[in-house]
Short mmCIF file of all heavy atoms in Angstrom, two decimals:
data_model
loop_
_atom_site.label_atom_id
_atom_site.label_comp_id
_atom_site.label_asym_id
_atom_site.label_seq_id
_atom_site.Cartn_x
_atom_site.Cartn_y
_atom_site.Cartn_z
N TYR A 1 4.85 11.86 0.58
CA TYR A 1 5.14 11.09 1.80
C TYR A 1 4.57 9.67 1.68
O TYR A 1 5.24 8.69 2.03
CB TYR A 1 4.55 11.79 3.02
CG TYR A 1 4.62 10.95 4.28
CD1 TYR A 1 5.79 10.90 5.03
CD2 TYR A 1 3.52 10.20 4.69
CE1 TYR A 1 5.86 10.12 6.17
CE2 TYR A 1 3.59 9.42 5.83
CZ TYR A 1 4.76 9.38 6.56
OH TYR A 1 4.84 8.59 7.68
N LEU A 2 3.36 9.56 1.19
CA LEU A 2 2.72 8.25 1.07
C LEU A 2 3.45 7.36 0.07
O LEU A 2 3.65 6.17 0.31
CB LEU A 2 1.25 8.42 0.67
CG LEU A 2 0.34 9.03 1.73
CD1 LEU A 2 -1.05 9.29 1.17
CD2 LEU A 2 0.26 8.13 2.97
N VAL A 3 3.87 7.94 -1.05
CA VAL A 3 4.61 7.17 -2.05
C VAL A 3 5.92 6.65 -1.47
O VAL A 3 6.27 5.47 -1.64
CB VAL A 3 4.88 8.02 -3.31
CG1 VAL A 3 5.90 7.33 -4.23
CG2 VAL A 3 3.59 8.29 -4.07
N TYR A 4 6.64 7.52 -0.76
CA TYR A 4 7.95 7.14 -0.24
C TYR A 4 7.87 6.40 1.10
O TYR A 4 8.89 6.03 1.66
CB TYR A 4 8.84 8.38 -0.10
CG TYR A 4 9.59 8.66 -1.38
CD1 TYR A 4 8.97 9.34 -2.43
CD2 TYR A 4 10.90 8.21 -1.57
CE1 TYR A 4 9.63 9.58 -3.62
CE2 TYR A 4 11.57 8.46 -2.75
CZ TYR A 4 10.94 9.13 -3.78
OH TYR A 4 11.59 9.36 -4.97
N THR A 5 6.66 6.19 1.59
CA THR A 5 6.48 5.40 2.82
C THR A 5 5.81 4.07 2.52
O THR A 5 6.23 3.03 3.03
CB THR A 5 5.62 6.18 3.84
OG1 THR A 5 6.27 7.42 4.14
CG2 THR A 5 5.48 5.39 5.13
N LYS A 6 4.78 4.10 1.67
CA LYS A 6 4.02 2.88 1.37
C LYS A 6 4.63 2.09 0.21
O LYS A 6 4.78 0.87 0.29
CB LYS A 6 2.57 3.24 1.04
CG LYS A 6 1.85 3.99 2.15
CD LYS A 6 1.75 3.17 3.44
CE LYS A 6 0.96 3.92 4.51
NZ LYS A 6 0.90 3.15 5.79
N TYR A 7 5.00 2.81 -0.87
CA TYR A 7 5.54 2.12 -2.05
C TYR A 7 7.01 1.78 -1.86
O TYR A 7 7.43 0.65 -2.05
CB TYR A 7 5.34 2.98 -3.30
CG TYR A 7 5.75 2.29 -4.57
CD1 TYR A 7 4.95 1.31 -5.15
CD2 TYR A 7 6.94 2.61 -5.21
CE1 TYR A 7 5.33 0.66 -6.31
CE2 TYR A 7 7.34 1.98 -6.37
CZ TYR A 7 6.52 1.00 -6.92
OH TYR A 7 6.90 0.36 -8.07
N TYR A 8 7.79 2.78 -1.47
CA TYR A 8 9.21 2.55 -1.14
C TYR A 8 9.30 2.34 0.36
O TYR A 8 9.73 3.21 1.11
CB TYR A 8 10.07 3.73 -1.58
CG TYR A 8 10.05 3.99 -3.07
CD1 TYR A 8 9.30 5.05 -3.60
CD2 TYR A 8 10.75 3.18 -3.95
CE1 TYR A 8 9.26 5.29 -4.97
CE2 TYR A 8 10.72 3.42 -5.33
CZ TYR A 8 9.98 4.47 -5.83
OH TYR A 8 9.94 4.72 -7.18
N SER A 9 8.91 1.18 0.80
CA SER A 9 8.75 0.93 2.24
C SER A 9 10.07 0.61 2.95
O SER A 9 10.15 0.66 4.17
CB SER A 9 7.77 -0.22 2.47
OG SER A 9 8.18 -1.38 1.77
N ASP A 10 11.12 0.30 2.18
CA ASP A 10 12.42 -0.01 2.77
C ASP A 10 13.16 1.30 3.04
O ASP A 10 13.49 2.05 2.12
CB ASP A 10 13.24 -0.88 1.82
CG ASP A 10 14.58 -1.31 2.42
OD1 ASP A 10 14.89 -0.90 3.56
OD2 ASP A 10 15.31 -2.05 1.75
N ASN A 11 13.42 1.58 4.31
CA ASN A 11 14.09 2.83 4.68
C ASN A 11 15.52 2.93 4.15
O ASN A 11 16.12 4.01 4.15
CB ASN A 11 14.11 3.00 6.21
CG ASN A 11 12.75 3.38 6.75
OD1 ASN A 11 11.82 3.64 5.98
ND2 ASN A 11 12.61 3.41 8.05
N GLN A 12 16.08 1.80 3.71
CA GLN A 12 17.43 1.82 3.16
C GLN A 12 17.44 2.23 1.69
O GLN A 12 18.50 2.54 1.14
CB GLN A 12 18.07 0.43 3.31
CG GLN A 12 18.30 0.01 4.76
CD GLN A 12 19.25 0.94 5.49
OE1 GLN A 12 20.37 1.19 5.04
NE2 GLN A 12 18.81 1.46 6.62
N THR A 13 16.28 2.23 1.06
CA THR A 13 16.20 2.63 -0.35
C THR A 13 15.32 3.85 -0.56
O THR A 13 15.40 4.50 -1.60
CB THR A 13 15.65 1.47 -1.21
OG1 THR A 13 14.36 1.09 -0.72
CG2 THR A 13 16.59 0.27 -1.16
N SER A 14 14.48 4.17 0.41
CA SER A 14 13.61 5.35 0.31
C SER A 14 14.42 6.60 0.64
O SER A 14 14.81 6.80 1.79
CB SER A 14 12.43 5.21 1.28
OG SER A 14 11.70 6.41 1.34
N ASP A 15 14.69 7.42 -0.38
CA ASP A 15 15.56 8.59 -0.18
C ASP A 15 15.08 9.49 0.95
O ASP A 15 15.88 9.97 1.75
CB ASP A 15 15.65 9.40 -1.48
CG ASP A 15 16.53 8.72 -2.53
OD1 ASP A 15 17.20 7.74 -2.18
OD2 ASP A 15 16.52 9.17 -3.68
N MET A 16 13.79 9.75 0.99
CA MET A 16 13.26 10.64 2.02
C MET A 16 13.57 10.14 3.41
O MET A 16 14.05 10.89 4.27
CB MET A 16 11.74 10.80 1.86
CG MET A 16 11.11 11.71 2.91
SD MET A 16 9.32 11.82 2.76
CE MET A 16 8.83 10.16 3.27
N HIS A 17 13.34 8.86 3.65
CA HIS A 17 13.52 8.31 4.99
C HIS A 17 14.99 8.08 5.34
O HIS A 17 15.39 8.27 6.49
CB HIS A 17 12.74 7.00 5.12
CG HIS A 17 11.26 7.20 5.22
ND1 HIS A 17 10.65 7.70 6.35
CD2 HIS A 17 10.26 6.98 4.32
CE1 HIS A 17 9.34 7.78 6.15
NE2 HIS A 17 9.09 7.34 4.93
N LYS A 18 15.80 7.70 4.36
CA LYS A 18 17.19 7.40 4.71
C LYS A 18 17.96 8.66 5.09
O LYS A 18 18.79 8.64 6.01
CB LYS A 18 17.88 6.64 3.58
CG LYS A 18 18.14 7.39 2.29
CD LYS A 18 18.69 6.44 1.23
CE LYS A 18 19.11 7.17 -0.02
NZ LYS A 18 19.58 6.24 -1.08
N TYR A 19 17.66 9.79 4.45
CA TYR A 19 18.34 11.04 4.83
C TYR A 19 17.77 11.59 6.14
O TYR A 19 18.51 12.17 6.94
CB TYR A 19 18.21 12.07 3.70
CG TYR A 19 18.83 11.62 2.41
CD1 TYR A 19 18.22 11.85 1.18
CD2 TYR A 19 20.05 10.94 2.40
CE1 TYR A 19 18.79 11.43 -0.01
CE2 TYR A 19 20.63 10.52 1.21
CZ TYR A 19 19.99 10.77 0.01
OH TYR A 19 20.55 10.34 -1.17
N PHE A 20 16.48 11.38 6.34
CA PHE A 20 15.85 11.79 7.60
C PHE A 20 16.43 10.99 8.76
O PHE A 20 16.75 11.55 9.82
CB PHE A 20 14.34 11.59 7.50
CG PHE A 20 13.59 11.97 8.74
CD1 PHE A 20 13.44 13.29 9.11
CD2 PHE A 20 13.00 10.99 9.54
CE1 PHE A 20 12.74 13.65 10.25
CE2 PHE A 20 12.30 11.33 10.69
CZ PHE A 20 12.17 12.67 11.04
N ASN A 21 16.61 9.70 8.57
CA ASN A 21 17.14 8.83 9.63
C ASN A 21 18.60 9.15 9.93
O ASN A 21 19.04 9.07 11.09
CB ASN A 21 16.98 7.36 9.25
CG ASN A 21 15.53 6.91 9.30
OD1 ASN A 21 14.72 7.51 10.01
ND2 ASN A 21 15.19 5.89 8.54
N ASP A 22 19.38 9.49 8.90
CA ASP A 22 20.76 9.88 9.13
C ASP A 22 20.83 11.15 9.99
O ASP A 22 21.67 11.28 10.88
CB ASP A 22 21.49 10.11 7.80
CG ASP A 22 22.39 8.94 7.43
OD1 ASP A 22 22.33 7.90 8.11
OD2 ASP A 22 23.16 9.06 6.46
N ALA A 23 19.94 12.09 9.70
CA ALA A 23 19.88 13.33 10.50
C ALA A 23 19.53 13.02 11.95
O ALA A 23 20.09 13.61 12.88
CB ALA A 23 18.87 14.30 9.89
N LYS A 24 18.60 12.09 12.15
CA LYS A 24 18.23 11.71 13.52
C LYS A 24 19.41 11.06 14.26
O LYS A 24 19.58 11.28 15.47
CB LYS A 24 17.03 10.76 13.50
CG LYS A 24 15.72 11.44 13.14
CD LYS A 24 14.50 10.66 13.62
CE LYS A 24 14.40 9.30 13.01
NZ LYS A 24 13.16 8.58 13.45
N LYS A 25 20.21 10.29 13.55
CA LYS A 25 21.40 9.69 14.17
C LYS A 25 22.38 10.76 14.60
O LYS A 25 22.93 10.71 15.71
CB LYS A 25 22.08 8.73 13.18
CG LYS A 25 21.36 7.41 12.97
CD LYS A 25 22.14 6.52 12.01
CE LYS A 25 21.41 5.22 11.74
NZ LYS A 25 22.15 4.37 10.78
N ILE A 26 22.60 11.74 13.73
CA ILE A 26 23.50 12.85 14.09
C ILE A 26 22.98 13.58 15.31
O ILE A 26 23.73 13.89 16.24
CB ILE A 26 23.64 13.85 12.91
CG1 ILE A 26 24.28 13.17 11.70
CG2 ILE A 26 24.49 15.05 13.34
CD1 ILE A 26 24.26 14.04 10.45
N TYR A 27 21.69 13.85 15.32
CA TYR A 27 21.08 14.59 16.42
C TYR A 27 21.23 13.83 17.74
O TYR A 27 21.54 14.43 18.78
CB TYR A 27 19.61 14.87 16.13
CG TYR A 27 18.95 15.79 17.12
CD1 TYR A 27 19.37 17.11 17.24
CD2 TYR A 27 17.90 15.34 17.92
CE1 TYR A 27 18.76 17.96 18.15
CE2 TYR A 27 17.29 16.19 18.83
CZ TYR A 27 17.72 17.49 18.94
OH TYR A 27 17.13 18.33 19.84
N ALA A 28 21.05 12.52 17.68
CA ALA A 28 21.18 11.69 18.89
C ALA A 28 22.63 11.66 19.37
O ALA A 28 22.90 11.74 20.57
CB ALA A 28 20.68 10.28 18.61
N LEU A 29 23.57 11.57 18.41
CA LEU A 29 24.98 11.48 18.77
C LEU A 29 25.55 12.81 19.27
O LEU A 29 26.56 12.83 19.97
CB LEU A 29 25.80 11.00 17.55
CG LEU A 29 25.57 9.55 17.13
CD1 LEU A 29 26.20 9.30 15.75
CD2 LEU A 29 26.18 8.59 18.15
N THR A 30 24.91 13.91 18.90
CA THR A 30 25.42 15.24 19.28
C THR A 30 24.52 15.94 20.29
O THR A 30 24.68 17.14 20.53
CB THR A 30 25.59 16.13 18.03
OG1 THR A 30 24.30 16.31 17.41
CG2 THR A 30 26.55 15.53 17.04
#
């Protein structure tokens, strides 16, 4: 988590965060 949050800080390139954020968008829309 720290590597993909601190080192890969851009949510558009951090795989962990970009898939998590897409899921949150789906959840909000549905």
